[in-house]
Amino acid sequence: MQEFAEYESLTKRDLGAKNHDMHRNGRLKHLIFGSQLNTKLLEKLFRSADMIRRLSRDPEGNRRLRDLLAHRRAMLYFTQPSTRTFLSFMAACQILGITCNEVRDPKTSSEVKRESKLDSIRMFSSYFDVIIMRSQISDYAECCAYLMNDLERNQKRSVPIINAGAGSDEHPTQALLDAYTITRTFDFDENSLQHDSRLTELRAKYPDLTSGMDNKAYAFCGDIGRGRTVRSLASVLSQYSNVTMFFISPNQDALKLDDKLKQRLVRQGVQVVELDSLDATHNGQPLLSQIDCMYMTRIQREHNSESTEAELTAMDLSPFQLTTDRVEQMKDYAPILHPFPRDRVIDEIPTAVDSDPRAMYFRQARNGMWIRAALLVHLFDAADSLFMAYSDVIGK
Ligand code: NCD
């Protein structure tokens, strides 16, 4: 984009070099890409999220949480529709005592007076301590992070940028809550086994099933090509060992796994399999009976060109619908995730599935609030204070 011309060469680098710019002293400076979420960082964030969740059940814990970042202010700059990401970030801020403000309609900001996008962001950074942003422009958040880095280099005020959804490219905080949900589903440590009889039964029935995200077959179904949540989550999961990913999408170029992402996953050691129906087989067996986790997605109609829209309208999308019959073929422990919203016309997950114990999507959305709070704690370097609050209130 012309407005970001000064950062064009930076955006063209490979992910490794870009990620380097988004960290400081082993901590996140900005969160822009899913691949920034390395396994060590994920562990830390998951532990903080667990502590926040536990503290929030206790009145004293709640007070301590609200004191943690009461001196901070957040700007929620969401110029694309959002329900869950916006509200869960807002709730996360409220849990931690952070004051929030929002701009959702660019027509109410000075962009209408021909202010540049980067000037707008720099202005936000004068009043707020973190900018959480969603835009249909894929590299807007990334360029804002470079702007902040330039300001920091020139000893000017600079604040963290959090990408809350960038075009059809990345959605790293969604990957964070998805990974947190998967980890909690496959959590077989002693303490958890003591508290959850379902996990104990699972452990007894499937002794080879391992904790965490290693050694699993993940299925992603729907709009793989343009689903930013899929791209970010696949990046995160590709770091774990012995991972298979099935990508199930209509046979339509825009919707299929793109080559660049595919190459990246394969380089990371992922076994990648592409299929065009939930009823497909793999190695002679039904796909559905082989997967450990199902990640459903919506067809991203907002990105359709006129011809794609016409093609999709004419297409039978029922092979991509997770009906109760199909759920029945899945392993009895395999969680069903969906970033939501689901499309009430295409109905990729009929509401009849909601009562199945494997349906995780509402829990998944709630997990977003805890893990986004953990992310804010990390960005503001408040993990030690969180741990102190936890030891005082829960560990006493
Ligand atoms: C997703 C998004 O915005 O990319 N929603 C979300 O953040 N939970 C998925 C979608 O819109 O399909």
Side-chain angles (χ1 to χ4, degrees):
M1 185 175 219
Q2 190 54 32
E3 272 195 65
F4 307 140
E6 62 190 291
Y7 296 124
E8 198 180 321
S9 58
L10 294 180
T11 60
K12 294 231 159 89
R13 297 171 300 162
D14 68 26
L15 261 177
K18 295 199 218 192
N19 282 348
H20 181 78
D21 289 354
M22 307 301 172
H23 294 253
R24 182 196 297 115
N25 304 330
R27 283 217 343 271
L28 290 180
K29 186 150 76 162
H30 311 285
L31 178 56
I32 307 297
F33 309 112
S35 53
Q36 286 178 258
L37 299 166
N38 60 49
T39 56
K40 229 168 99 193
L41 174 60
L42 287 172
E43 285 292 313
K44 268 196 217 158
L45 294 175
F46 294 169
R47 263 202 308 275
S48 293
D50 286 344
M51 282 192 258
I52 295 168
R53 178 198 294 268
R54 180 70 189 84
L55 275 169
S56 74
R57 279 194 232 130
D58 180 291
E60 175 58 13
N62 259 306
R63 272 190 291 277
R64 292 289 295 267
L65 284 171
R66 270 201 307 276
D67 280 348
L68 267 188
L69 293 168
H71 56 303
R72 299 294 193 174
R73 284 188 298 276
M75 164 51 80
L76 296 169
Y77 181 45
F78 277 58
T79 55
Q80 253 193 329
S82 175
T83 304
R84 278 145 291 270
T85 308
F86 180 84
L87 290 177
S88 64
F89 261 120
M90 186 172 255
C93 287
Q94 287 162 349
I95 289 169
L96 300 169
I98 301 175
T99 315
C100 316
N101 223 313
E102 62 185 78
V103 171
R104 302 195 72 171
D105 180 358
K107 288 197 201 76
T108 64
S109 84
S110 283
E111 275 188 50
V112 284
K113 299 182 194 164
R114 299 207 297 197
E115 179 165 71
S116 78
K117 292 197 161 38
L118 292 177
D119 270 358
S120 295
I121 293 294
R122 187 163 174 191
M123 287 306 151
F124 295 154
S125 76
S126 324
Y127 311 129
F128 295 94
D129 302 303
V130 58
I131 299 170
I132 304 162
M133 58 187 289
R134 166 174 287 196
S135 164
Q136 76 269 26
I137 304 165
S138 304
D139 50 6
Y140 190 8
E142 180 184 351
C143 291
C144 292
Y146 297 139
L147 167 70
M148 291 298 139
N149 288 356
D150 279 351
L151 290 169
E152 184 185 35
R153 256 190 299 278
N154 295 319
Q155 272 109 49
K156 299 269 167 46
R157 187 176 158 77
S158 160
V159 305
I161 304 288
I162 301 178
N163 171 7
S168 56
D169 198 30
E170 285 255 18
H171 193 348
T173 67
Q174 179 70 41
L176 199 51
L177 72 97
D178 297 338
Y180 183 48
T181 305
I182 296 169
T183 305
R184 286 181 64 80
T185 310
F186 296 108
D187 171 6
F188 303 125
D189 85 17
E190 285 308 315
N191 194 26
S192 311
L193 286 175
Q194 267 172 23
H195 289 98
D196 189 336
S197 57
R198 188 195 63 91
L199 287 176
T200 317
E201 279 166 33
L202 216 59
R203 185 78 295 208
K205 193 163 168 195
Y206 303 97
D208 294 337
L209 194 59
T210 56
S211 273
M213 290 179 276
D214 295 309
N215 310 315
K216 305 266 173 326
Y218 299 93
F220 295 89
C221 174
D223 198 336
I224 305 302
R226 307 174 303 179
R228 56 193 174 192
T229 67
V230 173
R231 305 173 65 81
S232 293
L233 180 59
S235 271
V236 166
L237 294 174
S238 70
Q239 309 172 75
Y240 292 87
S241 55
N242 191 21
V243 163
T244 303
M245 293 186 194
F246 294 100
F247 293 97
I248 305 126
S249 67
N251 201 355
Q252 218 275 356
D253 276 349
L255 274 62
K256 279 167 49 181
L257 177 66
D258 79 76
D259 257 0
K260 222 167 135 191
L261 178 60
K262 182 175 175 177
Q263 298 314 329
R264 190 144 56 80
L265 296 174
V266 169
R267 269 203 307 278
Q268 290 274 89
V270 177
Q271 193 198 343
V272 175
V273 183
E274 289 173 87
L275 299 166
D276 63 2
S277 164
L278 282 170
D279 299 325
T281 55
H282 174 65
N283 291 339
Q285 296 296 322
L287 155 83
L288 287 171
S289 67
Q290 300 179 48
I291 57 173
D292 298 299
C293 176
M294 170 61 88
Y295 194 90
M296 295 296 295
T297 65
R298 173 180 72 87
I299 303 290
Q300 310 274 308
R301 301 191 92 85
E302 63 274 31
H303 299 297
N304 282 356
S305 63
E306 255 173 54
S307 62
T308 320
E309 179 69 32
E311 266 180 64
L312 282 175
T313 310
M315 200 178 264
D316 172 19
L317 293 173
S318 62
F320 310 98
Q321 213 183 14
L322 192 64
T323 55
T324 45
D325 288 351
R326 289 187 172 123
V327 171
E328 244 162 61
Q329 298 174 50
M330 288 170 44
K331 290 176 178 162
D332 55 2
Y333 61 79
I336 303 164
L337 278 73
H338 190 312
F340 264 42
R342 58 181 155 189
D343 185 322
R344 66 175 187 277
V345 179
I346 293 180
D347 213 16
E348 66 270 14
I349 305 185
T351 49
V353 176
D354 296 359
S355 52
D356 192 292
R358 288 163 287 186
M360 288 294 160
Y361 25 94
F362 290 105
R363 218 179 289 175
Q364 181 188 355
R366 187 164 166 81
N367 283 339
M369 178 173 75
W370 308 122
I371 201 73
R372 287 180 168 123
L375 172 66
L376 291 163
V377 164
H378 172 83
L379 280 168
F380 288 123
D381 201 9
D384 289 347
S385 314
L386 170 64
F387 186 70
M388 234 140 69
Y390 187 83
S391 313
D392 290 349
V393 179
I394 311 294
K396 61 190 172 202

